[in-house]
Amino acid sequence: MFPLFVAETLIGLSIGGRLFLIAVGLSLIFGVLNVLNFAHGVFYMLGAYGAITVSALLLDNFWLGAAVGIVAVGIVGAIVEFGLIRPLYDRDEAILDQLILTFGVAMIVHELARMLWGSQPRSIPTPGSLDFSVGILGETITAYRLFVIGVSVVVLVGLWLFLTRTHHGHVIRATASDREMAAMLGVDVPRLYTTVFLLGSLLAGLGGALAAPLQAVSPALGDQIIIDAFVVVVIGGLGSISGAFVGAMLVGLFQAFGVQYIAAGDLALPFIAMILVLVFRPRGLLGEDEVL
Amino acid sequence: MSGDDEPTTDGSRDDEPTADRSTPDGPDPGALGVAGPAVERAGHGHERLSFTRSRLIEEGWTRERLLGLFVVWCLLVPVVLPSFQVYLFTEFLLLAVFATAFNLLYGYTGLLSFGHALFYAAAGYAIALTFRELGPELAGVLGGISPLATLLVAVVLGLAFTLVIAAPVGYLSVRLDEIYFALITLSFSMAFYAVLIQDPYGLTQGSDGMLLLLGTVELFGADVALADRNLYYYLVLAVAGGSMYAMWRVINSPFGTVCRAIRESPDRVSALGVNVTYHQWVMFVVSAFFVGIAGLFIAPLHSIVTPAMSFWTTSAIPVVAAVIGGAFYFLGPAVGAFVFLYLRWGLSRYPAFEAHWELFYGLVLILVLLYFKEGAAAGLVALGHWLEDLYGVYRTDGRSAAIEFVRSTLSEKAAAVRREVGRTSVRGRRSARGQVATAGGGSDSTDPGGGSDSTDPGSGSDSTDPTDPTDRPSGGDRP
Amino acid sequence: MTTLLRTVDLRREFGELVAVDGVSLDIVHGEITCIIGPNGAGKTTFYDLLTGMVEPTSGEVWLRHDGELQEITGLPAHEIADRGLARSFQIIEIFERLTVRQNVQVACVARNDRTLDLTTWLDADEAINEQVDEILELTGLTHLAEKRCSTLSYGQQRNVEISLALAIESSVVLLDEPTAGLNPTDSAIVVDFVNELDERTDTTFVVTEHDMDVVFNIADRIVVLHDGRVIADGDPGTVRADETVTEAYLGGSSI
Ligand SMILES: Nc1ncnc2c1ncn2[C@@H]1O[C@H](COP(=O)(O)OP(=O)(O)OP(=O)(O)O)[C@@H](O)[C@H]1O
Ligand SMILES: [Mg+2]
């Protein structure tokens, strides 16, 4: 039954692409700053709301709305890092304190979103320019879904090139592997941290904005999505970008096939996978120590 | 057994040096009301303090007395408070047990679990299932007293179930640390949540959850509703009191002290010949056990169990309570639970805020993390000391001196807060670099005082020791 | 001359760097052995290997336990400590937010195998607190017993560090630069109680030191490490006269 697999694979890749866009920023931030950002989910939610709200204001142009939303999320992220997370870096229990602190941020943003947009889920139509179907091996898929898969690949490749081929990328990787050494060599570590956090938040916003036409958006979205993101980054390896990609695609394919072939209980399986990875390969399936 | 016997816990040592041993920079015995780790007294109050404390004790204001008053208050709650308040207070007691049990692992062993909802939900579902499955059976056999019997069976089964889950989950979890520990506990609870909500075996009624009604007992011809608000309150009071007392004993036992040492430095503890992961595991199971107790008794109070009991936001409740209340104090998480519930209740009376109480928690949480790492419990302890001092001033120097004391200490405090806020932001700006200078490498240990100075934001500004470092009792029994 | 601790061709690499390079040593009962060597010679790494905190790349470690030498290579740190090998740390590792008394209590609880006792009120346990008082007296910390460690001076913390190593009463105690950062008065006290314990108890000490006064005050035997290798080993007189040693210390500011 070959064609059947094509359908599932396409759906799986589409889910995977979306998951990757959520997880990659989280993983990047953890890889460089050693901060597990609980607020990443609400940033994603903000990105989605940003795209919806702004595009409604701006001539119904989804792309413009998305762009503004993404930038806004990036700015929020940078402010959070600068104002709240930064004072905690030199604590003894920095990692746990930062985790709890970002959790507080998530609560606040969640509530603010509810005040601003209400609890009712919202949605937005697929942007007209990509609202058509494409046939692949006898199956059809909307062009927008293909576009999201494409964006996730572009992000992966772009980050890869950025981190391996540019000066800034080298500095970031050096700081990730040895912050003291980097500081000694004259890197302005605090500023670099803020920049990376900004970048990670931009990616969360991008994921949210692009997902807006694909799912219902509500303030509780962040609470759900952060868990998916945790599953993905743990499976791929916390702090690893290629790991996030592999993890996202695995989980996406898994969900697509799981719906078809596992009668019930498939909701628990990603968590069981996460547990197994943590028990047997805590560094993730790829087992890399590098940010890449 | 609602904690009445607590005053005698200090046992043999009680009459003499106990009080002094815990002052002025106490051994962190954990009790609220006994100086905690980082609460140091302002220098000016020292002598007056000992005067005031002994005076207060003379006048009968001992710790035991205060505790006794609290117990009396608890006993009177159903008499003096309206029904809804009794409900709220019952919930508070159980949440306090939940948060304190969580904190055995977090504040007292150094492991942050983001999945304690698992045990809360496991116990809750266990009692609900027992009542649904065994309730009718037992009613057939035992007749009128069967709800009571069912409750007993449910408690036993629920705790057994909790332990059966906690042992393997803990075993797998404690081998990981910090963020990885938080993540694996999170995934266990979420896996359980997923099972509950999908309900693959048709046991738990999926996302609807299960209703749980305790029923009515026929005793000596009278009908007694087990879920009667006041009756249930007393039941919970006894259970919660007993649990708190048991946990208090655990943290003051040899085992509890070892766990506190593990929190400080696992490597050091294993160099003393102690199997660190094994002890973390035992504490994990103990912690889960008491969480199970909270879950068991919250379910009948709410009359329903739902999958949300195991969702990660439930796991976050004790985290928030412990952080806000103060994780290094035994009663800190209970204080946090109190703030948690009553802040929500208070806000619910203002329609504008009602739906947004989480906003306030978020804000409080962040403020506490940034500026009051010791939490509300530390604040209460400091307030208690301040009141004592104030009382001392009043008794010795009279009213105007007391007013002057209030003015001067308040302005001092304000200045200190301003300084602290300034310091945190400055430190933040330098942080990542600052660390480089002090990061321990090879032989930097020759810097006297170098790494020794803890930078606890809460710990008063002076950590220098008034006694001269070189001042040692000379000789001793050295030849 | 019973051997308590033996290493056979012990080696540890960190990437390119060989921190400990084929060290074979016997530590003998009743003899205070001082291990000296310049910064980076591998002293601390050697201790880490002995105590199981770092895995050796190759080689073996043996420890006398229950009357016979047993191989302990690869055992977890706590089991090695439990079999009678205690250590202090060069970079102070004490329980900062606990009091001095609680610090030593932890060690004494471990010594008495009471770590799984969940019900006793520790502060009221006569047996353990007697042992604690004894240790505190010995290391001169009695008057600080109720202070939190983070409020102590550096020298006092160093003392707590050593107290922990002593309190578990093991057959061999490894001290890693016990006088680092101490003023002369304080180091003299450390020298005193190491000598006293050496005579009074059955404990055998191994000490790394940079301060040569201390070394010649306590050592029965001196082992010189350089670049991870043993370059000299013998009684203090012999080592003092050894030229390779002077050379190793560069510039030869004679020891
Ligand atoms: N975990 C590690 N990773 C990489 N290199 C290490 C590690 N631990 C030690 N080294 C290196 O091994 C060598 C030996 O270090 P070690 O700390 O054992 O020396 P030492 O003799 O104790 O020095 P000091 O007198 O300064 O305490 C040093 O070059 C050190 O940089
Ligand atoms: Mg060393």
Side-chain angles (χ1 to χ4, degrees):
Chain A
M1 296 298 277
F2 189 65
L4 198 62
F5 289 131
V6 172
E8 266 101 43
T9 308
L10 284 175
I11 295 173
L13 292 180
S14 162
I15 300 175
R18 229 163 62 207
L19 286 174
F20 172 69
L21 291 178
I22 308 162
V24 63
L26 185 70
S27 213
L28 177 70
I29 290 173
F30 185 82
V32 180
L33 281 73
N34 231 357
V35 173
L36 189 61
N37 179 19
F38 228 117
H40 204 74
V42 291
F43 288 171
Y44 174 90
M45 177 264 292
L46 278 186
Y49 269 117
I52 293 175
T53 312
V54 181
S55 64
L57 293 176
L58 293 177
L59 316 165
D60 267 342
N61 185 326
F62 173 76
W63 305 109
L64 213 55
V68 174
I70 292 166
V71 172
V73 173
I75 293 171
V76 171
I79 292 173
V80 165
E81 195 279 341
F82 184 82
L84 301 177
I85 299 178
R86 196 181 272 199
L88 304 186
Y89 284 122
D90 55 357
R91 291 249 176 108
D92 278 349
E93 290 102 359
I95 298 189
L96 297 186
D97 282 2
Q98 284 158 344
L99 179 73
I100 298 171
L101 183 118
T102 53
F103 172 68
V105 173
M107 282 167 101
I108 292 175
V109 175
H110 180 171
E111 286 306 320
L112 289 178
R114 241 155 45 96
M115 287 179 175
L116 272 176
W117 291 292
S119 306
Q120 285 305 313
R122 299 201 186 183
S123 56
I124 188 175
T126 307
S129 48
L130 288 174
D131 195 11
F132 55 91
S133 294
V134 181
I136 295 179
L137 295 175
E139 294 293 333
T140 57
I141 182 169
T142 58
Y144 188 76
R145 284 181 188 273
L146 278 184
F147 169 75
V148 173
I149 299 175
V151 170
S152 73
V153 174
V154 168
V155 167
L156 175 70
V157 174
L159 272 177
W160 181 280
L161 291 177
F162 171 66
L163 289 173
T164 55
R165 297 290 155 79
T166 67
H167 174 67
H168 288 298
H170 287 299
V171 173
I172 289 175
R173 280 167 61 210
T175 311
S177 65
D178 192 337
R179 160 172 107 181
E180 272 103 54
M181 186 61 95
M184 224 106 78
L185 296 174
V187 177
D188 184 347
V189 175
R191 212 178 79 191
L192 182 130
Y193 275 14
T194 309
T195 315
V196 170
F197 205 93
L198 173 92
L199 182 60
S201 309
L202 283 176
L203 288 167
L206 174 71
L210 293 187
L214 294 175
Q215 69 189 115
V217 178
S218 72
L221 182 60
D223 287 359
Q224 307 286 342
I225 235 60
I226 188 65
I227 296 298
D228 291 346
F230 282 162
V231 172
V232 167
V233 296
V234 165
I235 289 179
L238 261 179
S240 152
I241 286 167
S242 48
F245 190 77
V246 172
M249 289 305 162
L250 279 179
V251 172
L253 288 171
F254 183 84
Q255 286 186 359
F257 282 92
V259 170
Q260 290 296 324
Y261 299 104
I262 301 168
D266 61 295
L267 270 186
L269 287 174
F271 299 113
I272 291 169
M274 181 171 170
I275 292 164
L276 290 176
V277 168
L278 281 170
V279 169
F280 294 107
R281 291 190 68 116
R283 304 254 147 238
L285 285 183
L286 297 195
E288 286 183 13
D289 262 344
E290 266 246 72
V291 196
L292 297 173
Chain B
M1 59 180 285
S2 55
D4 286 303
D5 30 8
E6 196 151 339
T8 57
T9 53
D10 299 65
S12 53
R13 291 182 167 257
D14 209 60
D15 8 17
E16 4 94 274
T18 321
D20 290 337
R21 290 185 65 200
S22 43
T23 34
D25 55 1
D28 177 16
L32 186 65
V34 176
V39 180
E40 259 139 69
R41 310 294 312 279
H44 64 83
H46 261 290
E47 272 153 43
R48 192 165 282 132
L49 156 73
S50 35
F51 161 78
T52 318
R53 178 151 298 172
S54 55
R55 183 74 163 258
L56 284 169
I57 290 173
E58 258 171 45
E59 292 175 8
W61 291 102
T62 56
R63 245 209 298 166
E64 291 73 20
R65 171 76 75 87
L66 290 175
L67 190 76
L69 279 180
F70 182 69
V71 171
V72 170
W73 159 251
C74 287
L75 290 173
L76 287 179
V77 158
V79 182
V80 295
L81 290 185
S83 174
F84 173 72
Q85 287 298 327
V86 176
Y87 175 89
L88 200 61
F89 203 76
T90 314
E91 196 170 24
F92 156 66
L93 290 175
L94 290 170
L95 219 51
V97 172
F98 187 16
T100 307
F102 157 83
N103 200 47
L104 290 180
L105 214 49
Y106 177 55
Y108 284 90
T109 316
L111 292 171
L112 171 62
S113 161
F114 237 97
H116 261 41
L118 169 60
F119 312 113
Y120 196 59
Y125 269 85
I127 187 172
L129 276 172
T130 310
F131 266 87
R132 194 184 70 193
E133 301 298 323
L134 284 182
E137 307 268 333
L138 287 176
V141 183
L142 295 170
I145 60 157
S146 81
L148 198 57
T150 316
L151 183 61
L152 285 178
V153 173
V155 167
V156 172
L157 286 180
L159 291 178
F161 184 53
T162 310
L163 290 178
V164 165
I165 294 181
V169 166
Y171 180 80
L172 294 174
S173 301
V174 297
R175 303 187 312 168
L176 303 168
D177 60 359
E178 294 206 322
I179 228 76
Y180 292 93
F181 178 81
L183 284 169
I184 196 170
T185 46
L186 172 74
S187 40
F188 274 115
S189 69
M190 288 303 294
F192 192 61
Y193 168 77
V195 170
L196 289 178
I197 207 162
Q198 276 195 322
D199 194 13
Y201 306 108
L203 267 181
T204 59
Q205 286 160 257
S207 55
D208 294 341
M210 297 164 66
L211 289 179
L212 168 60
L213 299 173
L214 289 185
T216 301
V217 182
E218 277 175 48
L219 263 183
F220 312 115
D223 283 354
V224 183
L226 283 182
D228 171 78
R229 213 159 253 188
N230 292 347
L231 182 64
Y232 197 68
Y233 169 78
Y234 284 115
L235 180 63
V236 166
L237 181 64
V239 168
S243 301
M244 294 297 282
Y245 174 65
M247 288 190 276
W248 170 240
R249 290 300 300 238
V250 168
I251 62 149
N252 283 289
S253 70
F255 171 74
T257 310
V258 168
C259 285
R260 267 190 275 178
I262 290 174
R263 170 193 80 196
E264 298 292 307
S265 170
D267 280 349
R268 192 21 143 166
V269 175
S270 66
L272 295 175
V274 177
N275 185 342
V276 168
T277 43
Y278 185 74
H279 286 75
Q280 287 172 325
W281 181 46
V282 173
M283 192 54 122
F284 189 100
V285 175
V286 171
S287 164
F289 177 82
F290 287 107
V291 170
I293 290 181
L296 268 180
F297 286 92
I298 202 86
L301 185 72
H302 290 162
S303 308
I304 188 169
V305 292
T306 61
M309 260 181 117
S310 187
F311 198 60
W312 67 266
T313 45
T314 305
S315 296
I317 294 173
V319 180
V320 175
V323 171
I324 289 180
F328 295 144
Y329 294 82
F330 179 70
L331 290 182
V335 172
F338 188 87
V339 174
F340 187 90
L341 272 181
Y342 284 86
L343 184 65
R344 178 164 71 183
W345 172 73
L347 288 175
S348 72
R349 313 177 69 210
Y350 300 92
F353 299 137
E354 172 166 19
H356 301 290
W357 51 273
E358 273 191 41
L359 181 70
F360 291 86
Y361 287 147
L363 286 173
V364 173
L365 189 64
I366 287 176
L367 284 179
V368 167
L369 271 170
L370 283 177
Y371 299 119
F372 311 98
K373 188 61 205 304
E374 301 286 323
L380 287 180
V381 169
L383 181 68
H385 287 323
W386 184 79
L387 287 175
E388 266 173 32
D389 287 351
L390 178 63
Y391 178 72
V393 174
Y394 176 71
R395 289 298 290 257
T396 42
D397 305 339
R399 179 130 170 245
S400 55
I403 293 171
E404 177 52 33
F405 175 80
V406 171
R407 249 223 323 270
S408 71
T409 46
L410 283 186
S411 66
E412 234 171 70
K413 188 74 208 167
V417 168
R418 243 174 280 136
R419 258 202 318 279
E420 172 61 30
V421 171
R423 197 165 66 94
T424 311
S425 47
V426 170
R427 190 179 55 197
R429 230 157 277 146
R430 291 179 295 131
S431 65
R433 280 195 169 180
Q435 183 129 354
V436 177
T438 55
S443 52
D444 63 347
S445 49
T446 39
D447 161 30
S452 64
D453 198 354
S454 102
T455 44
D456 270 0
S459 69
S461 46
D462 63 327
S463 55
T464 30
D465 179 7
T467 46
D468 183 346
T470 54
D471 166 35
R472 249 176 251 275
S474 52
D477 58 356
R478 237 168 269 130
Chain C
M1 293 281 278
T2 18
T3 297
L4 295 182
L5 182 65
R6 165 176 295 164
T7 66
V8 184
D9 213 13
L10 200 59
R11 185 179 167 87
R12 170 70 205 205
E13 300 162 7
F14 291 112
E16 298 283 279
L17 181 99
V18 186
V20 172
D21 188 1
V23 173
S24 300
L25 272 186
D26 275 17
I27 302 297
V28 183
H29 180 236
E31 204 175 69
I32 299 186
T33 308
C34 276
I35 302 183
I36 62 173
N39 285 337
K43 303 178 294 288
T44 300
T45 308
F46 181 60
Y47 276 9
D48 289 344
L49 293 171
L50 296 179
T51 52
M53 315 209 96
V54 167
E55 292 259 320
T57 308
S58 64
E60 297 162 10
V61 186
W62 296 69
L63 178 69
R64 182 167 298 278
H65 179 63
D66 291 340
E68 53 172 333
L69 270 183
Q70 298 174 348
E71 184 167 1
I72 56 168
T73 330
L75 286 184
H78 67 90
E79 259 178 56
I80 294 175
D82 204 33
R83 290 177 184 212
L85 184 57
R87 74 174 288 182
S88 75
F89 290 81
Q90 180 179 353
I91 298 173
I92 295 177
E93 277 279 330
I94 56 178
F95 313 124
E96 284 221 353
R97 283 174 291 199
L98 303 189
T99 62
V100 173
R101 169 179 298 281
Q102 287 171 323
N103 266 262
V104 180
Q105 273 175 341
V106 171
C108 291
V109 166
R111 184 215 295 183
N112 293 287
D113 275 332
R114 293 270 304 278
T115 58
L116 283 174
D117 179 344
L118 273 80
T119 49
T120 310
W121 191 265
L122 178 56
D123 278 344
D125 190 285
E126 301 282 335
I128 285 180
N129 286 294
E130 243 165 56
Q131 295 173 354
V132 171
D133 290 337
E134 216 171 276
I135 299 284
L136 291 177
E137 176 103 353
L138 182 75
T139 53
L141 288 170
T142 309
H143 66 298
L144 298 171
E146 311 307 334
K147 289 216 157 270
R148 265 204 319 145
C149 284
S150 58
T151 66
L152 300 183
S153 73
Y154 182 81
Q156 294 164 336
Q157 293 190 338
R158 174 62 69 196
N159 240 336
V160 175
E161 171 70 49
I162 298 171
S163 305
L164 288 180
L166 300 179
I168 59 173
E169 284 213 322
S170 45
S171 52
V172 182
V173 175
L174 313 173
L175 299 179
D176 202 350
E177 308 206 6
T179 68
L182 297 192
N183 61 32
T185 332
D186 285 346
S187 1
I189 292 170
V190 172
V191 169
D192 278 354
F193 69 64
V194 168
N195 273 325
E196 187 205 330
L197 280 173
D198 179 54
E199 279 176 21
R200 208 187 59 182
T201 68
D202 214 24
T203 309
T204 299
F205 285 93
V206 182
V207 183
T208 69
E209 249 318 321
H210 280 298
D211 182 339
M212 289 308 147
D213 286 339
V214 172
V215 172
F216 286 105
N217 251 317
I218 57 174
D220 298 316
R221 169 191 179 194
I222 296 179
V223 173
V224 187
L225 270 187
H226 183 55
D227 285 344
R229 283 172 206 270
V230 178
I231 57 166
D233 180 356
D235 60 76
T238 323
V239 170
R240 196 199 288 264
D242 195 318
E243 278 180 16
T244 41
V245 177
T246 334
E247 218 165 276
Y249 271 91
L250 212 85
S253 51
S254 71
I255 52 176

